[in-house]
Amino acid sequence: MCQEVRRTCSCGQKDTTFHLRDNVMGQDVIDRFFCPSCSQEQDVNWETMVADNGWIIEYDMDLARMFAITKLSMDPAHVTPEFVFDEGYATWREMYPGETVDITDERNKIIALKDSDPKEYLAAINSWAVERIQRLKDAGWRKAVRSC
């Protein structure tokens, strides 16, 4: 079972939902996060932060290491902000913040083909998904880069 946590960025302009994989990490492991607007004024501390395409997440790494030791039996030396994010223990619920809103129109147009032309629908949805992931990879989103 996984948990979702909703947070607002440091400047208060953006909010997003985080996914906590298998409830390994608690929600307090996410200390703060910064949207592209407020991240410009933030010095990145690579010991506690991970950057993703202009967004920055700051983790409570002492807490993250404690969870990793107790729930994953991991050596705390291997628990980094990149590990916490890239392995999904405290990461975006989506591929990037706001993805669901961004893709709604595109997806709905393709879904409209489902009843009228099922073959075209299957071809369109498959090519759209592949092309979309490639666009996200090209844009540098961490979760897309790590996907298949």
Side-chain angles (χ1 to χ4, degrees), residues 16-34:
T16 194
T17 305
F18 290 87
H19 170 84
L20 304 178
R21 175 181 160 197
D22 300 331
N23 289 330
V24 170
M25 305 275 170
Q27 65 182 350
D28 292 336
V29 80
I30 303 165
D31 195 17
R32 300 181 294 170
F33 90 96
F34 305 89

Side-chain angles (χ1 to χ4, degrees), residues 126-139:
N126 286 331
S127 65
W128 172 73
V130 169
E131 290 166 6
R132 188 176 72 71
I133 292 296
Q134 188 58 53
R135 283 193 313 266
L136 296 176
K137 283 181 180 182
D138 293 345

Side-chain angles (χ1 to χ4, degrees), residues 5 15 18 22 36 38 42-43 62 72 74-75 81 84-85 87 96 106 118-119 123 132 136 142:
V5 177
D15 60 287
F18 290 87
D22 300 331
C38 57
Q42 184 62 40
D43 291 329
D62 291 333
L72 299 172
M74 281 188 66
D75 179 346
V84 174
F85 183 91
E87 296 303 318
Y96 64 90
E106 290 178 35
K119 282 187 177 183
R132 188 176 72 71
L136 296 176
R142 292 181 74 96

Side-chain angles (χ1 to χ4, degrees), residues 42-117:
Q42 184 62 40
D43 291 329
V44 179
N45 175 353
W46 297 111
E47 298 296 317
T48 61
M49 298 175 166
V50 67
D52 189 20
N53 223 12
W55 297 74
I56 299 172
I57 304 168
E58 181 175 35
Y59 296 109
D60 179 334
M61 291 307 298
D62 291 333
L63 190 56
R65 287 184 183 99
M66 188 264 317
F67 283 126
I69 291 166
T70 58
K71 294 189 176 182
L72 299 172
S73 301
M74 281 188 66
D75 179 346
H78 298 296
V79 182
T80 63
E82 292 82 7
F83 170 81
V84 174
F85 183 91
D86 293 337
E87 296 303 318
Y89 292 110
T91 190
W92 313 127
R93 179 180 58 93
E94 307 163 295
M95 290 291 253
Y96 64 90
E99 177 188 26
T100 301
V101 173
D102 290 350
I103 66 171
T104 299
D105 288 341
E106 290 178 35
R107 198 182 61 176
N108 287 344
K109 287 176 186 173
I110 295 169
I111 290 173
L113 295 171
K114 188 176 180 182
D115 293 329
S116 63
D117 193 344

